[in-house]
Amino acid sequence: MPSPSPPLHPFLATVLTLCIAAGGGLVATALNLPAGWLMGGALAVTLAAMWGLPVMLTDRLRDITFVLVGMSMGATVAPDSLSLIPTWPLSLLALALELAIIIAISGWVLSRVFRLDPGTAYLSSFPGHLSFIIGIAATGIGNARQIVIIQVIRILMLTIAVPIGATFLPIAHFSPPAASAFLSPLQLVLLAAGCVAVGALFLKFKVPAGMVLGSMAAATAAKLGGLYTEAMPVPLVTMTFVLTGALIGSRFAGISRREFLAAAKGGLVATMVAVSVVTVMAGVVAQFVDMPFGQIWLGLSPGALEGMGALGIALGYDTAFIAAHHVIRLLMLSFAIPAVAVLVQRRAQRAQESHNLPPSSTR
């Protein structure tokens, strides 16, 4: 394995990461892959991290990325998208059912087939809410390092799989509506300020993915309220995709190839389980609601909100539907994760007590 590169100043490491992401996005876009700037950037930065290059995004730039993703999602919400809300209960029911199936099957496979301890197996199987999961793991439940690798593999594979699926499978994608007018610099500054303010408020109240959701809420409210009708400038949207790809790929920083390979099989299998379950559920829902299969799939997908939201923009889908389902998924997981963690911990305690019981005396 190549030796890790000497540490760089955070600014230089960030510039290097953005250049790699932009280069990967440019190649993928030149190959006419859907969401090329996002998928290509994520894959390029991941490979760079695996090769030992010092990739990273500063916390400030990460927050800027979240704001830009939220702004872009809010700016693409169509006023008539809210008329589809009556069809959401069926897809939300499918979402709840698929979460239970994914966690049960993935947890069983990781523990029985890959011999991970139950804490690591089941915390790795939760489709989302990574920061919450790591917080639970930090209390001593499971191997936090393995959990991170498996979860990040899931996020990366979904980011890559969706555009490839849109290219080679019968999953329609739609070019975003051609804009005739774009937000002016002053409008962008005012909209960004509102997005940051609402995002900070969401974070204060500990809303999951608060900066992304807060930014989207502000941008959506402003658009539906008639404060603007223009679209986001294309260069800014492209920059958002590059930043999001860099953010996804940089999560592999500090993970050696040996660590990655040790957890890769389990991570890939868990991701395949999740993708299979989501695909079946999306197929069932698509029989009863009038919306694109790909849009339903993204709404039910177990990927990161910022990544799936950016893919929704790139593929021309209704971001309101996608964001709403990811919010509900995070809320469901907020209750499910601690409940399963308690069950796993109690099971381990019972096994330990049973193991420590003195042998019964014989007469």
Side-chain angles (χ1 to χ4, degrees), residues 157-168:
M157 292 306 297
L158 286 170
T159 304
I160 295 173
V162 174
I164 292 177
T167 301
F168 297 106

Side-chain angles (χ1 to χ4, degrees), residues 118-119 341-355:
V342 168
L343 290 175
V344 168
Q345 198 169 35
R346 287 181 177 175
R347 178 182 172 186
Q349 289 174 348
R350 285 196 299 267
Q352 182 67 25
E353 291 170 357
S354 175
H355 181 74

Side-chain angles (χ1 to χ4, degrees), residues 148-172:
V148 168
I149 297 173
I150 292 174
Q151 291 280 6
V152 172
I153 288 173
R154 170 182 57 81
I155 294 170
L156 175 68
M157 292 306 297
L158 286 170
T159 304
I160 295 173
V162 174
I164 292 177
T167 301
F168 297 106
L169 298 177
I171 300 174

Side-chain angles (χ1 to χ4, degrees), residues 90-104:
L90 179 61
S91 55
L92 291 175
L93 177 62
L95 177 65
L97 183 59
E98 79 171 23
L99 289 179
I101 296 173
I102 289 172
I103 295 166

Side-chain angles (χ1 to χ4, degrees), residues 1 3 182 210 231 334:
M1 172 183 174
S3 300
F182 299 95
S334 296

Side-chain angles (χ1 to χ4, degrees), residues 114-281:
F114 293 95
R115 302 299 179 186
L116 298 181
D117 65 271
T120 301
Y122 281 95
L123 287 181
S124 298
S125 68
F126 281 103
H129 230 331
L130 180 57
S131 59
F132 192 14
I133 290 170
I134 298 306
I136 297 290
T139 65
I141 302 175
N143 183 319
R145 192 78 171 175
Q146 284 186 314
I147 293 168
V148 168
I149 297 173
I150 292 174
Q151 291 280 6
V152 172
I153 288 173
R154 170 182 57 81
I155 294 170
L156 175 68
M157 292 306 297
L158 286 170
T159 304
I160 295 173
V162 174
I164 292 177
T167 301
F168 297 106
L169 298 177
I171 300 174
H173 64 279
F174 307 89
S175 299
S180 57
F182 299 95
L183 291 165
S184 68
L186 177 59
Q187 286 177 305
L188 285 172
V189 170
L190 293 175
L191 182 60
C195 289
V196 170
V198 178
L201 187 64
F202 276 36
L203 288 177
K204 180 179 179 180
F205 288 99
K206 302 187 183 302
V207 176
M211 189 57 75
V212 177
L213 292 176
S215 298
M216 181 182 177
T220 301
K223 183 169 187 178
L224 297 182
L227 297 182
Y228 73 97
T229 57
E230 298 84 357
M232 295 276 286
V234 175
L236 188 59
V237 174
T238 300
M239 186 176 76
T240 301
F241 292 154
V242 171
L243 285 169
T244 306
L247 176 64
I248 292 170
S250 66
R251 287 173 170 149
F252 283 94
I255 297 175
S256 69
R257 279 197 283 174
R258 177 174 296 180
E259 287 178 308
F260 175 82
L261 292 175
K265 290 182 180 179
L268 291 174
V269 169
T271 303
M272 289 172 61
V273 169
V275 168
S276 300
V277 173
V278 170
T279 302
V280 171
M281 287 295 179

